[in-house]
């Protein structure tokens, strides 16, 4: 996870530096610029340039990998034909690099950004859009990136919008960034979100021919457990230690169980991180589940004082004062703060399981109306601005990248096309997510964990109660926007 920024028009280098400073928390390990040439590992406080440029890119690096022959390389990257800035992860990195070597790319490629750069370049025959489309068909990952060929600029975002990307225009410039605040910093007011699986080519939106949630085929229930295991496994490549944002419920416990199984074959340290007020349901469940899994658990005991202290930063980061969003955002913030304090940069989350398998109570009415699978597709297509951008913003305040196994593209395609009566079995199904619960129980979770009823994070942690009964009585949190 990193921060990318860019401007096109009459660009002052100092403006790009301002944007990078605003989002430095997303990538504290190094910063780089593309102006008339590439500058890497610069000191943002020392760098100064009063010249104007037609285009400029910036990048803040969060260095993650500590194993194997893969690195988190400084950016921007260029091969003379293309220049690229990239935020995200390519999970089939080895497959891509093997392919590139077979088609004659001689350079040793060690980073995701370079792998994508050379892959696009292989397909680029005077048609950058087609080259990007061909390249991302082969890429399995979560990403947002910008690429420049000397004449054309293209921005692209992954199929589900796991990684954020915003853009804006005014009379003088056009710009993009990983955060809204970076764009606000240089005077942009109307800021838009690039939709998942879309390409913005020379500032014109190009929609996909068929979005992931529109595909229709028959799903195979028997493949879900295997595909979820693969999704977890490829998200730990190059890592020796990970955290899990942990509530003790089905989703986070299933992920923790699969990580533990993997750790029996490779060196991998797993730590669970729970958040909640004293005596909260999530803390109680997390303690029980951690003992069952025999994994280390760390707990942030939430108090009114902690919430008041974190509120300004969290509300500003998510750009919304909706209490539900703020409550969930605070949960992610407190959990990843513990992760960061332990020196970790990656945490797993169960985000997406409820939208994929029908976990929310409102889906009972969808089941009754016969619209469950349609409603799940709609919710999956809107996750990027409802949940994912919020979670990304709050975790990156602590320099922690979230990895979301339930939002693996192949798994999503499969599960969205499984019959609705395998997700919710009847109008009286109070726990819902029947397939996932059954698979988790068969995989080894005990009944109490696998069939624990769903409780939203802001309620299970007790944070919503603190916000409503103590904070908003004397504090207008919209002041933090």
């Amino acid at each position: 996870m990193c921060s990318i920024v860019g401007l096109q028009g009459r660009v002052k280098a100092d403006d790009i530096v301002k944007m990078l400073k605003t989002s430095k928390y997303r990538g504290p390990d190094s910063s780089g610029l593309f102006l008339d040439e590439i500058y890497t590992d610069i000191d943002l406080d020392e760098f100064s340039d009063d010249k104007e440029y037609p285009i400029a890119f910036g990048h803040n690096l969060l260095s993650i990998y500590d194993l194997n022959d893969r690195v988190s390389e400084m950016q921007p990257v260029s091969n003379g034909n293309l220049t690229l800035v990239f935020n995200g992860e390519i999970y089939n990195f080895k497959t891509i690099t093997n392919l590139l070597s077979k088609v004659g790319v001689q350079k040793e490629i060690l980073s995701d950004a370079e792998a994508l750069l050379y892959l696009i370049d292989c397909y680029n025959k005077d048609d950058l859009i087609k080259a990007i489309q061909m390249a991302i068909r082969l890429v399995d990952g979560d990403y947002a990136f910008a690429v420049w060929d000397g004449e054309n600029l293209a921005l692209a975002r992954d199929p589900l919008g796991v990684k954020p990307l915003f853009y804006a225009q005014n009379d003088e410039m056009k710009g993009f960034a990983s955060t809204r605040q970076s764009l606000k910093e240089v005077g942009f007011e109307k800021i838009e979100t690039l939709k998942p699986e879309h390409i913005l080519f020379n500032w014109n939106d190009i929609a996909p021919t068929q979005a992931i949630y529109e595909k229709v085929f028959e799903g195979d229930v028997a493949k879900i457990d295997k595909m979820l295991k693969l999704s977890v496994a490829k998200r730990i490549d190059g890592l020796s230690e990970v955290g899990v944002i942990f509530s003790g419920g089905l989703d986070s416990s299933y992920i923790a169980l699969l990580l533990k199984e993997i750790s029996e074959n490779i060196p991998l340290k797993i730590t669970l991180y729970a958040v909640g007020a004293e005596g909260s349901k999530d803390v109680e469940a997390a303690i029980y589940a951690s003992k069952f899994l025999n994994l280390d658990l760390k707990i942030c005991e939430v108090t009114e004082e902690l919430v008041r202290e974190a509120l300004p930063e969290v509300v500003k980061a998510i750009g919304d004062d909706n209490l539900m969003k703020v409550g969930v955002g605070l949960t992610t913030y407190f959990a990843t703060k513990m992760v960061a304090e332990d020196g970790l940069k990656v945490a797993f989350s169960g985000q997406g399981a409820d939208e994929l398998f029908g976990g929310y109570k409102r889906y009972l009415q969808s089941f009754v109306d016969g619209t469950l699978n349609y409603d799940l597709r709609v919710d999956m297509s809107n996750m990027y601005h409802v949940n994912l951008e919020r979670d990304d913003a709050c975790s990156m305040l602590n320099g922690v990248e979230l990895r979301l196994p339930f939002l693996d593209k192949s798994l999503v395609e499969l599960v969205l096309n499984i019959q609705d009566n395998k997700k919710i079995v009847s109008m009286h199904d109070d726990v819902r997510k029947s397939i996932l619960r059954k698979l988790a129980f068969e995989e080894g979770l005990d009944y109490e964990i696998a069939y624990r009823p769903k409780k939203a994070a802001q309620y299970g942690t007790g944070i919503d109660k603190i916000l409503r009964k103590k904070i908003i009585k004397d504090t207008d949190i919209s002041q933090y926007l």
Side-chain angles (χ1 to χ4, degrees):
M1 182 78 74
C2 303
S3 167
I4 62 175
V5 300
L7 293 171
Q8 188 175 23
R10 298 182 62 182
V11 181
K12 293 180 181 178
D14 287 348
D15 281 339
I16 282 286
V17 171
K18 285 180 185 177
M19 296 174 78
L20 286 174
K21 285 183 177 180
T22 301
S23 58
K24 182 63 177 173
Y25 63 88
R26 294 180 62 92
D29 295 316
S30 76
S31 298
L33 292 172
F34 166 66
L35 301 169
D36 52 350
E37 60 181 292
I38 288 177
Y39 304 83
T40 57
D41 204 19
I42 64 171
D43 185 330
L44 295 178
D45 291 323
E46 296 292 332
F47 189 90
S48 181
D49 184 336
D50 58 3
K51 291 187 288 187
E52 288 188 349
Y53 299 88
I55 192 165
F57 288 170
H59 181 268
N60 287 319
L61 173 67
L62 176 65
S63 182
I64 288 176
Y65 294 106
D66 51 16
L67 295 175
N68 304 328
D69 57 352
R70 189 174 177 187
V71 300
S72 299
E73 189 173 52
M74 290 182 283
Q75 297 184 45
V77 292
S78 178
N79 66 350
N81 300 323
L82 302 173
T83 302
L84 178 143
V85 282
F86 174 88
N87 170 33
E89 305 295 331
I90 294 178
Y91 300 120
N92 61 341
F93 172 79
K94 293 177 182 177
T95 301
I96 298 298
T97 54
N98 288 337
L99 173 64
L100 290 172
S101 65
K102 289 177 181 178
V103 298
V105 175
Q106 300 297 316
K107 185 182 185 302
E108 183 182 16
I109 295 173
L110 298 177
S111 71
D112 291 357
E114 277 198 328
L116 181 59
L117 174 78
Y118 280 92
L119 187 60
I120 295 171
D121 195 38
C122 283
Y123 287 110
N124 192 23
K125 309 298 180 185
D126 299 320
D127 190 340
L128 186 58
I129 297 176
K130 186 175 181 181
I132 292 171
Q133 290 172 331
M134 294 294 287
I136 61 180
R137 285 178 189 173
L138 298 176
V139 168
D140 176 10
D142 304 323
Y143 53 80
F145 66 88
V147 60
W148 167 251
D149 67 3
E151 294 183 9
N152 302 293
L153 174 65
L155 314 180
R157 193 175 182 188
D158 64 68
L160 290 164
V162 174
K163 302 304 180 191
L165 194 56
F166 306 96
Y167 65 98
Q169 305 180 47
N170 59 31
D171 293 337
E172 296 182 357
M173 289 188 300
K174 302 175 177 68
F176 67 86
S178 297
T179 69
R180 290 184 180 90
Q181 197 59 39
S182 289
L183 292 166
K184 291 178 181 178
E185 185 69 19
V186 291
F188 291 108
E189 296 180 356
K190 185 180 179 183
I191 298 170
E192 300 183 64
T193 300
L194 182 62
K195 293 180 180 179
E197 214 170 19
H198 282 228
I199 296 173
L200 196 68
F201 185 73
N202 292 330
W203 308 101
N204 294 308
D205 192 358
I206 298 173
T209 54
Q210 187 177 44
I212 188 172
Y213 47 88
E214 293 173 343
K215 297 174 183 176
V216 178
F217 57 88
E218 186 176 351
D220 184 350
V221 174
K223 292 181 179 179
I224 294 175
D225 186 56
K226 180 180 179 181
M227 291 182 71
L228 185 55
K229 288 178 181 178
L230 288 172
S231 176
V232 171
K234 65 190 178 187
R235 283 167 171 77
I236 59 166
D237 184 43
L239 302 175
S240 60
E241 189 172 0
V242 296
V244 179
I245 298 179
F246 196 69
S247 68
L250 168 67
D251 308 335
S252 58
S253 296
Y254 197 177
I255 288 173
L257 176 67
L258 296 179
L259 284 167
K260 185 180 179 183
E261 289 179 359
I262 292 171
S263 72
E264 294 172 359
N265 300 308
I266 64 170
L268 181 69
K269 183 179 179 182
I270 305 157
T271 306
L272 312 177
Y273 296 89
V275 173
E278 183 179 4
S280 65
K281 297 294 184 183
D282 278 9
V283 169
E284 291 177 357
I287 292 171
Y288 175 89
S290 67
K291 289 179 179 177
F292 176 83
L293 293 165
N294 194 26
L295 290 172
D296 291 339
L297 172 69
K298 296 193 175 183
I299 300 170
C300 172
E301 185 176 312
V302 180
T303 63
E304 178 185 349
E305 183 181 0
L306 278 181
V307 172
R308 287 189 182 276
E309 182 180 328
L311 258 180
E313 196 173 16
V314 169
V315 172
K316 182 179 180 181
I318 65 179
D320 200 325
D321 60 355
N322 175 279
L323 285 183
M324 183 192 75
K325 284 190 174 183
V326 172
V328 179
L330 284 164
T331 302
T332 301
Y333 173 80
F334 289 133
T336 53
K337 186 176 181 182
M338 288 189 290
V339 173
E341 288 170 349
D342 280 349
L344 305 185
K345 295 183 179 180
V346 172
F348 278 67
S349 166
Q351 183 64 267
D354 288 305
E355 290 83 356
L356 194 55
F357 290 93
Y360 297 123
K361 189 173 182 179
R362 57 187 163 84
Y363 290 138
L364 284 175
Q365 188 60 51
S366 300
F367 176 81
V368 172
D369 295 340
T371 62
L372 177 60
N373 272 343
Y374 173 81
D375 291 343
L376 294 179
R377 290 169 186 270
V378 171
D379 285 354
M380 288 297 296
S381 71
N382 286 312
M383 272 196 75
Y384 72 99
H385 64 83
V386 175
N387 296 331
L388 300 182
E389 289 170 1
R390 173 203 63 212
D391 292 352
D392 174 88
C394 293
S395 68
M396 290 307 295
L397 285 173
N398 295 308
V400 173
E401 176 181 317
L402 293 183
R403 301 234 171 138
L404 313 176
F406 286 111
L407 294 186
D408 184 82
K409 180 180 177 181
S410 297
L411 179 66
V412 170
E413 288 177 341
L414 173 70
V415 177
L416 284 181
N417 291 285
I418 288 172
Q419 305 97 302
D420 57 4
N421 63 2
K422 293 188 180 298
K423 298 166 187 169
I424 294 178
V425 297
S426 78
M427 62 183 294
H428 304 295
D429 184 356
D430 290 333
V431 292
R432 303 168 295 282
K433 289 194 289 193
S434 298
I435 306 172
L436 195 62
R437 295 183 187 279
K438 182 174 183 292
L439 289 172
F441 182 63
E442 292 174 349
E443 188 66 30
L445 286 184
D446 81 350
Y447 187 89
E448 184 169 339
I449 301 171
Y451 287 88
R452 181 194 176 203
K454 167 70 180 176
K455 199 166 186 68
Q458 68 272 28
Y459 305 125
T461 60
I463 289 177
D464 184 77
K465 186 176 181 180
I466 292 173
L467 286 170
R468 293 182 186 277
K469 292 195 173 183
K470 298 181 179 180
I471 306 294
I472 64 171
K473 285 186 175 181
D474 58 19
T475 304
D476 178 8
I477 65 174
S478 66
Q479 67 182 297
Y480 303 132
L481 290 172

